Amino acid sequence: AWFGNEFNRKNTWYYDMDVFLQYIKRSNMMLQQGNFVADIAYFISEDAPKMTGTTDPALPLGYAFDYINAEVIKTRTTVKNGRLVLPDGMSYKILVLPKLETMRPEFLQKVKELVKEGAVVLGPKPLRSPSLQNYGKADKQLLALTKELWGNIDGKSVKTNDVGKGMVIDGMELKEALELVNVRPDFLALKTDSVLYIHRKVDESSIYFISNQAQKEQVFNAEFRVNGLIPELWNPVTGAVTRLDGYSSADGVVTVPIKLAAIESAFIVFREPGKTSGSKVDEKTLGLNYPAPANTLVPSQDWVISFDKAMRGPVNPVRSKELFDWTTSANDSVKYFSGSATYSNSFVLNNYKSGSKVVLNLGQLSAIAKVKVNGVDAGGAWTAPYQVDVSKFVRNGNNTFEVRVVNTWVNRMIGDSKMPEAERPSKTFNYTYKPESRLLTAGLFGPVKVMVY
């Protein structure tokens, strides 16, 4: 296929992608728990069948939405505690109507029933029925319903109309409407807009999946709409669960200092009740959640890099005092190499006590790394912060380690594109890459550090 991502044994990274698939499995499992939390339901109109609609007015930061169609509203929706509720447990605070002039009176009658029971509806009133059914009479029925629901709303001086237990709103931005009905943001990443979130509710517990969309580290205070529960960090890359002791909890919001590496994601889970406090969230509480290492070691600068000869790497190991991007090499068998190369080195650990945490931080690399410490497989890394917990494999004194790095086929295909097509050792059905194509960074760049906690 010329689209998507095909997994097969001819991928350079096929036998190394287990660490990536473990992340996918953990994330899939977590994101199937409970129910998705969304405050907004955008009605997609009664037009010809379609899957999505518009998000107009725009969704403000800190909230999530769903699309909803007429059939679901008419046959499956009720109102409970001022929220639209579906049988599977999904609920929404505001139903947003699209800016269309048409609506069938049968549908608007259902909307009227929901509003009387306590629903909140935001949007302009329709002017006529789109259907030829009951032609003429349908328009009169619709206008009677709109007069009852929208009342004297003009979108300027009058923007709301109370109907039964509910309310109809027009002429407001969504943020203003949410504030009017006292719905605070579900999640906010203060001082940054590069962090996205998904919230799922499991009974009284909450699961937030947050992801840094930026190519740089983000440190921020995160506000979660959670009442008096303790935050935990569930790492989808490693599977580790860590309690976050640095946080404050007040007025139905838990504020937690968070640090995410470039493009890093994390699950913040709330399960256990904690004390409500107004304690300050600052660098000190950030340090509680992400403690600094007690000691940092740097391996020797004598790197030995062994490339896979079967993948046309150099015959002899490359020795270097510093780490480098393969594409900067003057040796074409390194510059255009695609496959795996093993970096060998060592470090000395003194006064190591059992129970201490030792992390091998690889700095930067492309694309997947597998690590051995003292000859034993210790794990792998494929995304920032590119680090592996090696606590179980280290010892006092000298420790040897290997980092086997594998890149993609791209650089080899660019290199081979410089050859006549009949002579190219690598082949593909669709030659996307050309001699002038940009090479992708490859290899281990570091700086490599051993961090002791």
Side-chain angles (χ1 to χ4, degrees):
W2 294 353
F3 59 88
N5 206 30
E6 183 177 338
F7 291 179
N8 68 59
R9 67 187 184 281
K10 292 181 182 285
N11 298 134
T12 53
W13 38 262
Y14 182 73
Y15 296 101
D16 299 283
M17 69 177 180
D18 55 324
V19 288
F20 169 66
L21 292 182
Q22 287 165 7
Y23 164 84
I24 295 295
K25 291 176 182 178
R26 291 188 186 105
S27 298
N28 285 349
M29 184 275 293
M30 292 289 284
L31 292 172
Q32 291 179 57
Q33 305 306 308
N35 283 315
F36 175 54
V37 176
D39 293 303
I40 315 302
Y42 285 100
F43 176 50
I44 66 174
S45 83
E46 298 175 282
D47 291 350
K50 55 187 179 181
M51 295 297 294
T52 62
T54 59
T55 53
D56 185 15
L59 186 78
L61 282 175
Y63 299 92
F65 76 93
D66 254 347
Y67 288 118
I68 193 167
N69 63 25
E71 180 185 3
V72 171
I73 291 175
K74 288 178 66 178
T75 64
R76 302 180 61 217
T77 306
T78 57
V79 178
K80 183 178 180 180
N81 298 325
R83 293 181 71 93
L84 295 166
V85 178
L86 301 182
D88 58 6
M90 288 294 301
S91 72
Y92 313 96
K93 183 59 181 178
I94 295 181
L95 172 65
V96 178
L97 303 179
K99 294 176 180 177
L100 295 175
E101 295 183 352
T102 60
M103 185 177 292
R104 291 184 303 133
E106 296 87 353
F107 175 76
L108 192 56
Q109 176 63 36
K110 175 63 178 183
V111 172
K112 172 188 168 183
E113 294 169 5
L114 294 172
V115 172
K116 281 192 167 184
E117 292 171 7
V120 177
V121 173
L122 170 66
K125 64 182 178 183
L127 303 179
R128 60 186 180 276
S129 173
S131 174
L132 293 178
Q133 185 179 21
N134 297 322
Y135 182 72
K137 181 180 179 182
D139 287 350
K140 292 179 181 179
Q141 291 175 331
L142 187 78
L143 292 176
L145 288 168
T146 59
K147 184 173 180 58
E148 185 175 357
L149 285 169
W150 275 265
N152 297 320
I153 291 177
D154 58 14
K156 297 176 182 178
S157 59
V158 180
K159 298 182 179 181
T160 65
N161 186 43
D162 294 329
V163 181
K165 298 178 182 178
M167 179 191 301
V168 173
I169 307 170
D170 189 19
M172 285 188 187
E173 291 300 313
L174 194 45
K175 187 175 188 299
E176 187 181 359
L178 287 161
E179 290 172 351
L180 177 66
V181 295
N182 297 315
V183 179
R184 64 177 64 194
D186 188 20
F187 169 83
L188 283 177
L190 303 184
K191 296 185 178 180
T192 177
D193 58 1
S194 69
V195 178
L196 301 182
Y197 86 100
I198 297 171
H199 180 193
R200 297 191 71 86
K201 198 88 162 53
V202 186
D203 297 326
E204 299 305 314
S205 301
S206 278
I207 298 171
Y208 285 84
F209 179 69
I210 59 176
S211 59
N212 177 15
Q213 302 294 300
Q215 291 282 356
K216 62 180 181 179
E217 180 182 87
Q218 297 287 351
V219 179
F220 56 95
N221 284 340
E223 293 185 351
F224 301 89
R225 192 174 66 197
V226 172
N227 192 20
L229 298 178
I230 300 170
E232 299 171 347
L233 171 61
W234 291 34
N235 190 322
V237 173
T238 66
V241 175
T242 307
R243 177 167 159 161
L244 300 176
D245 291 322
Y247 72 97
S248 67
S249 177
D251 301 323
V253 174
V254 175
T255 304
V256 188
I258 299 288
K259 179 165 62 176
L260 292 176
I263 316 297
E264 185 181 12
S265 57
F267 286 94
I268 308 299
V269 179
F270 297 86
R271 298 183 297 168
E272 304 294 333
K275 294 181 179 179
T276 300
S277 69
S279 59
K280 191 175 181 180
V281 177
D282 52 18
E283 289 187 5
K284 184 177 180 181
T285 49
L286 176 68
L288 290 174
N289 296 340
Y290 303 90
N295 192 16
T296 300
L297 310 174
V298 178
S300 75
Q301 295 305 299
D302 296 317
W303 291 95
V304 179
I305 313 170
S306 302
F307 289 83
D308 185 352
K309 292 187 285 293
M311 301 293 281
R312 290 189 279 157
V315 175
N316 298 316
V318 175
R319 295 182 177 274
S320 177
K321 292 291 185 182
E322 58 183 21
L323 297 169
F324 62 93
D325 179 354
W326 298 345
T327 65
T328 63
S329 175
N331 184 343
D332 283 356
S333 62
V334 175
K335 183 175 183 177
Y336 300 116
F337 180 77
S338 287
S340 63
T342 300
Y343 293 73
S344 302
N345 210 322
S346 64
F347 61 90
V348 176
L349 195 60
N350 294 319
N351 302 317
Y352 171 68
K353 296 179 181 178
S354 178
S356 297
K357 182 179 179 181
V358 181
V359 172
L360 181 62
N361 189 309
L362 302 174
Q364 294 290 325
L365 63 91
S366 183
I368 299 178
K370 289 293 187 66
V371 173
K372 281 187 177 182
V373 175
N374 295 319
V376 181
D377 291 329
W382 60 274
T383 185
Y386 295 109
Q387 58 188 27
V388 179
D389 187 337
V390 297
S391 308
K392 297 178 181 179
F393 312 101
V394 296
R395 61 197 175 207
N396 272 305
N398 190 60
N399 292 267
T400 61
F401 70 94
E402 294 179 354
V403 182
R404 185 166 62 86
V405 177
V406 60
N407 66 336
T408 68
W409 273 114
V410 172
N411 293 344
R412 176 58 72 197
M413 295 182 67
I414 293 173
D416 285 0
S417 70
K418 300 174 186 291
M419 304 167 60
E421 185 171 346
E423 299 176 16
R424 295 173 189 171
S426 64
K427 291 180 171 58
T428 182
F429 292 110
N430 184 23
Y431 280 95
T432 304
Y433 300 100
K434 306 184 185 316
E436 64 273 14
S437 297
R438 183 178 62 88
L439 295 171
L440 299 186
T441 56
L444 175 63
F445 321 129
V448 176
K449 299 175 183 178
V450 180
M451 301 185 298
V452 183
Y453 295 84

